[in-house]
Amino acid sequence: MNRPDPGMTTTTPHVRPGPGVPVVEMRGINKWYGAFHALRDIDLQVAPGERVLICGPSGSGKSTLVRVVNLLEPFQQGRLQVCGVEIGAEAITRAARLAVNRRVGMVFQQFNLFPHMTVLQNLMVGPVWGAGVSRHEARQRALRYLERVGLMDQIDKHPAQLSGGQQQRVAIARTLCTQPQVVLFDEPTASLDPEMVNEVLQTMESLASEGMTMLIVTHEMGFARRVADRAIFMDQGQIIEIAPPDDFFDRPQSPRLQTFLGQLHA
């Protein structure tokens, strides 16, 4: 396996993307885990305010794709632009990582809340220690977003005292406290009991209605049809099909997507 010369530079302009400039742009992205080719020639643009669903079978590269956007995973070929920050393959500097982390929020499958902190403390820690926001401002943000997700009555509780759905809503509020330009969701309902899924999806749907730019890895297809501007199907590290939801679900073009959707409805 031949890999390219990583001699690319990275710049971190401190500007928001202008009108018509993609919030996320991936150009020829390839990623390997050892000999395993996890992402293959990924080209993708996400416009400001766009909601993009990413689905596919297990191991297709969905989670890897969003983790590359957030620089949680390096990539070995191609170029990435995130919220005005240009990143070249194998040249992810500390400055680039900090710049992207201040612009991109991520909601994980496993919540990742600090168990020894209260709900309020969990929401304040990122703005205070990660962005240098004053404690007063961080508290005001935390209260605003806890109200936004309907959890003002839980501010003094610890994560273990909350249901799974409540913990995930806290995780969403925590992400919003960093005031990101784009939010990535990696299977946010996968760890929840069925009765808790809807409360999280309602919160996400409300965010979408307010124009939040979102990349969402999920198998919740009813939610995707209601919320997504575009749906992406991935398989074996490749983007196989991209289409608006009605075409994606009702008129799939590739046999692989037809089979995948058929299995979901079986």
Side-chain angles (χ1 to χ4, degrees):
M1 177 181 63
N2 294 322
R3 296 187 182 177
D5 183 351
M8 298 184 182
T9 59
T10 301
T11 59
T12 56
H14 298 283
V15 295
R16 286 177 175 266
V21 177
V23 177
V24 176
E25 184 173 16
M26 309 180 84
R27 290 166 280 172
I29 297 292
N30 282 270
K31 174 172 177 57
W32 289 266
Y33 292 106
F36 177 65
H37 201 169
L39 294 178
R40 300 171 181 263
D41 299 318
I42 298 296
D43 291 317
L44 177 65
Q45 291 187 343
V46 180
E50 190 175 21
R51 283 89 62 186
V52 177
L53 163 82
I54 306 170
C55 69
S58 178
S60 61
K62 311 180 299 294
S63 294
T64 301
L65 188 150
V66 295
R67 289 175 68 87
V68 164
V69 171
N70 207 26
L71 303 187
L72 291 176
E73 294 285 353
F75 57 98
Q76 288 82 37
Q77 186 175 27
R79 294 196 70 84
L80 174 67
Q81 183 273 124
V82 183
C83 300
V85 182
E86 289 277 352
I87 303 104
E90 295 187 354
I92 301 176
T93 65
R94 183 174 182 274
R97 196 179 302 279
L98 288 172
V100 169
N101 288 344
R102 288 171 179 165
R103 293 161 170 82
V104 179
M106 188 158 183
V107 178
F108 298 88
Q109 182 181 142
Q110 298 295 338
F111 320 140
N112 290 353
L113 300 174
F114 293 112
H116 63 288
M117 292 183 178
T118 66
V119 166
L120 182 62
Q121 290 168 339
N122 264 281
L123 268 64
M124 290 177 60
V125 67
V128 171
W129 294 103
V133 172
S134 71
R135 291 186 62 82
H136 174 76
E137 170 61 20
R139 179 181 174 85
Q140 294 304 112
R141 288 187 193 180
L143 295 177
R144 180 164 68 250
Y145 290 118
L146 282 173
E147 184 174 14
R148 176 71 184 73
V149 300
L151 291 173
M152 276 291 288
D153 57 341
Q154 307 294 328
I155 62 173
D156 294 323
K157 291 186 178 179
H158 287 77
Q161 297 174 285
L162 305 178
S163 70
Q166 288 173 326
Q167 289 186 62
Q168 192 60 290
R169 283 189 286 153
V170 170
I172 292 172
R174 178 186 58 185
T175 295
L176 296 177
C177 281
T178 65
Q179 299 185 336
Q181 295 178 38
V182 56
V183 179
L184 314 175
F185 294 86
D186 187 9
E187 295 280 12
T189 60
S191 296
L192 301 178
D193 293 332
E195 63 269 20
M196 298 177 185
V197 168
N198 194 51
E199 65 185 73
V200 173
L201 294 181
Q202 286 178 341
T203 299
M204 294 171 61
E205 195 164 346
S206 180
L207 291 176
S209 71
E210 296 173 358
M212 174 68 71
T213 307
M214 304 163 71
L215 274 73
I216 308 163
V217 176
T218 184
H219 287 106
E220 298 291 341
M221 295 306 166
F223 163 80
R225 186 187 284 266
R226 294 192 305 271
V227 169
D229 296 302
R230 287 187 296 161
I232 294 175
F233 175 67
M234 294 187 67
D235 192 25
Q236 297 183 358
Q238 296 177 293
I239 292 178
I240 304 299
E241 191 162 337
I242 305 178
D246 287 347
D247 290 337
F248 187 89
F249 292 110
D250 297 336
R251 295 173 289 277
Q253 298 300 302
S254 66
R256 186 67 188 90
L257 176 55
Q258 293 168 10
T259 299
F260 177 77
L261 294 175
Q263 291 170 339
L264 291 179
H265 298 143

